[in-house]
Structures are given as C-alpha cells and as structure tokens.
Amino acid sequence: MLKTVYFRSSIFWLLVLLSCKQESSVPYYNSPDFEPHFLSKKDASRQIPHTIAPFSFTDQNKKTITDQSVNQKIHIASFIFTSCGSICPVMIKNLKIVNSKYQKSEDVVLLSFSVTPWIDTPQKLKDFKVKNNITNPNWHFLTGNKAEIYKLARQSYFAEEDLGFTSDSTKFLHTEHIVLADCDKKIRGIYNGTLQTDIEQLIKDIEVLRKE
C-alpha cells in the first residue's frame, strides 16, 4: 500500500512539474498596459489574440519588408531616426550587442522603423547603417508612410505603452522602448533600449523563445 501511495504521489508531482514546464518563463502581452501572462504556447493561442498587424515598408536597400518577412521568426522592433542625437545612438549601440550575437541567425530579425520617414529615405538609412558598421542582412532599417508607422508602433507594438496607444500621427513618436515578438508575432517583452541590463535580459528572453 505504501509503495502504491508513493507511486501515485510521484506521478502527481511529475504531472505538476510537466504542467509548470509548459508555461513559458517569458510572458505574453495582450494590451498596452503590459500586464504579463505566463502561459503555454497552446493556451496563448487561445487567450492572447493580439498580434503584430500586417505591414509593408521599404528598407535601406529599397527592398519591401512586410509582416510576412518575419513570419515564423523572432523579431526585435525599435523606433529611431537618423538625425537623433539623444537616445537613438545609445539604442543603436546597445542593439549592436544583440546584433553581434544573432547576425548569423536567420531566425532572429531586427526591424528599426524610422519615426521621421519623410526625411529618412532608403539612401539615408543605408548610409546610417554603414556609418554604424552594421552588416547584418537581417537588420532592416525601414521607412514609409508616417501615419502607418506611427499606428503600427502604438497600436501593434504598444511602443509607448498606455500613453501612446490612443495618440494620433500628429504627435511625434520618440521612445526608448524595444519590443520583442515571437514566431507567431505575439509580443513577449518590452525593454529600455538605453539600458544595457535590459539588453542583457532581451538576449536571455530571445534564447528562451528560440527553444519554444
């Protein structure tokens, strides 16, 4: 009888451990308040409807980059402009840490959207990429319609959290936030791009997502 009880107890705790293991240590986010939801991928498919909306922009090589370009890939979104002299240089410097780790990994893509697309032409973005010694073909600097970029940033990526969610395109978008999205284009993290500690956490979270 004792062996039977012990066996059943062991099975119970094994099932508990397996159940816990199925929940990702990297949360899902479904709203601009960034309330974390720790779920299994299966549960997230039902409980987290928010995904990055379809988009289409032009990169530094005049190549069209769409949401399909990051389909089944992890991607990191940032919002910069080439003439920025405050937070953007620090963000680029920190993103280069991520870039150096994943520049040979086709399953990780970096997208840097220009928030002054009327100024940042593909050629300017190309020059900016060269100036910053970035050679990774999977790091795209994007330009396009201002209203579409701002809407995508605020309503899809929640780039300015609650504060920017209802803002329209007349209000300038300037944020240090970097957003992590998984292979299903669901938001999995938001980080302060000016802090190296946040960048280190971003890399750790990417590694978790790559194993999911």
Side-chain angles (χ1 to χ4, degrees), residues 2-107:
L2 183 60
K3 289 183 178 179
T4 302
V5 171
Y6 177 77
F7 176 75
R8 288 177 178 173
S9 177
S10 299
I11 292 295
F12 171 77
W13 286 112
L14 178 61
L15 291 173
V16 169
L17 287 171
L18 287 173
S19 176
C20 292
K21 192 175 181 180
Q22 287 176 356
E23 291 186 0
S24 176
S25 60
V26 178
Y28 290 84
Y29 298 97
N30 197 52
S31 56
D33 61 2
F34 277 90
E35 178 185 354
H37 301 270
F38 292 92
L39 302 165
S40 67
K41 190 169 185 178
K42 182 178 179 181
D43 288 340
S45 66
R46 298 192 301 265
Q47 299 179 37
I48 307 294
H50 183 81
T51 58
I52 304 306
F55 63 82
S56 179
F57 298 109
T58 304
D59 77 356
Q60 73 283 346
N61 294 319
K62 297 183 180 180
K63 179 181 177 182
T64 299
I65 302 298
T66 73
D67 56 298
Q68 293 302 305
S69 303
V70 294
N71 197 35
Q72 294 305 307
K73 296 182 180 182
I74 296 165
H75 77 274
I76 301 104
S78 57
F79 302 89
I80 55 94
F81 58 108
T82 60
S83 58
C84 173
S86 54
I87 63 174
C88 298
V90 182
M91 290 174 64
I92 294 297
K93 179 183 176 182
N94 285 335
L95 279 169
K96 287 173 73 174
I97 298 172
V98 182
N99 177 65
S100 65
K101 185 172 180 62
Y102 298 108
Q103 61 181 341
K104 295 182 180 179
S105 304
E106 294 186 0
D107 62 327

Side-chain angles (χ1 to χ4, degrees), residues 29 34 157-159 161 177-180 188-192 198:
Y29 298 97
F34 277 90
Y157 287 107
F158 306 144
E161 301 177 285
H177 290 155
I178 292 171
V179 181
L180 173 64
R188 304 298 296 275
I190 184 169
Y191 312 85
N192 186 323
D198 273 30

Side-chain angles (χ1 to χ4, degrees), residues 2 10 48 74 77 79 91 113 121 128 151 185 205 211:
L2 183 60
S10 299
I48 307 294
I74 296 165
F79 302 89
M91 290 174 64
F113 298 85
T121 62
F128 182 79
K151 182 179 180 181
K185 294 193 277 285
D205 291 345
K211 295 175 183 176

